[in-house]
Amino acid sequence: MTYRVCFVCTGNICRSPMAEYVFRARVAEAGLEEHVEIDSAGTGGWHEGEPADPRTVAVLHDHGYDCDHIARQFQPSWFARLDLVIALDAGHLRALRRLAPTEADARKIRLLRAYAHTSPGSPVPDEPRAGCDDLDVPDPYYGGLDGFEECLEMVEEASTGLLAAVREHLEGRAA
């Protein structure tokens, strides 16, 4: 059985494609690519059909990741086939919750950076908690290359915890 993950940001040209391709690499390194399907989308359709931002592609390539991406807009009907919808910031989290057709679908939505603040086996919060670090991955679009580098660092950090959570879920399905 395939586990399906979709990363979501605003326009699907910076943060979510970066998260998609980093996580693809982590899943491949773990030998799980036959069991995990990964994609990304935007909450809006402003860049639909366009490639990833050249700065996203450059930073990914500089760090050894592939990126062959075309932007698309998230559709509410996708919830039915997805196991996990990963928001890159709290605004995306709220937008996705408004799109979720059911409560069960809304429970599939998590913030990416929450996975950087959990240990294996512990529940991943779907909301920032009081006293918790800000869980947003800042939008690098209007800044320089350093913002894209910072975004990559945050995505890489969270991908380790996300991979552990997905692996745990897959093992639970097999049991």
Side-chain angles (χ1 to χ4, degrees), residues 1-77:
M1 185 170 233
T2 302
Y3 191 85
R4 292 173 176 86
V5 179
C6 184
F7 295 93
V8 181
C9 70
T10 306
N12 193 218
I13 61 169
C14 297
R15 293 173 283 178
S16 58
M18 190 174 286
E20 174 186 352
Y21 283 90
V22 167
F23 196 60
R24 279 182 193 276
R26 294 296 179 274
V27 165
E29 290 164 6
L32 297 173
E33 63 267 25
E34 291 181 24
H35 304 286
V36 183
E37 183 181 295
I38 305 149
D39 59 17
S40 65
T43 57
W46 306 280
H47 298 286
E48 202 163 19
E50 296 176 16
D53 186 291
R55 297 166 293 180
T56 297
V57 175
V59 167
L60 284 169
H61 284 168
D62 287 350
H63 291 272
Y65 299 102
D66 291 328
C67 184
D68 180 24
H69 176 77
I70 300 297
R72 61 197 189 133
Q73 184 175 359
F74 189 88
Q75 301 299 315
S77 62

Side-chain angles (χ1 to χ4, degrees), residues 31-163:
L32 297 173
E33 63 267 25
E34 291 181 24
H35 304 286
V36 183
E37 183 181 295
I38 305 149
D39 59 17
S40 65
T43 57
W46 306 280
H47 298 286
E48 202 163 19
E50 296 176 16
D53 186 291
R55 297 166 293 180
T56 297
V57 175
V59 167
L60 284 169
H61 284 168
D62 287 350
H63 291 272
Y65 299 102
D66 291 328
C67 184
D68 180 24
H69 176 77
I70 300 297
R72 61 197 189 133
Q73 184 175 359
F74 189 88
Q75 301 299 315
S77 62
W78 297 357
F79 276 107
R81 69 174 176 79
L82 293 169
D83 296 290
L84 195 55
V85 181
I86 303 293
L88 276 288
D89 71 26
H92 307 132
L93 180 83
R94 288 187 299 275
L96 288 163
R97 285 206 175 131
R98 285 191 300 271
L99 291 175
T102 68
E103 270 304 310
D105 291 325
R107 286 191 299 272
K108 296 176 182 181
I109 306 164
R110 295 286 183 273
L111 284 163
L112 176 65
R113 289 199 59 223
Y115 290 94
H117 301 283
T118 59
S119 54
S122 65
V124 176
D126 57 0
E127 291 277 356
R129 286 177 280 186
C132 185
D133 291 337
D134 180 16
L135 296 180
D136 287 355
V137 175
D139 188 354
Y141 185 77
Y142 294 103
L145 206 52
D146 58 332
F148 287 82
E149 291 284 349
E150 178 185 13
C151 180
L152 179 63
E153 287 175 24
M154 291 178 175
V155 166
E156 286 178 327
E157 178 187 27
S159 290
T160 301
L162 177 57
L163 180 62

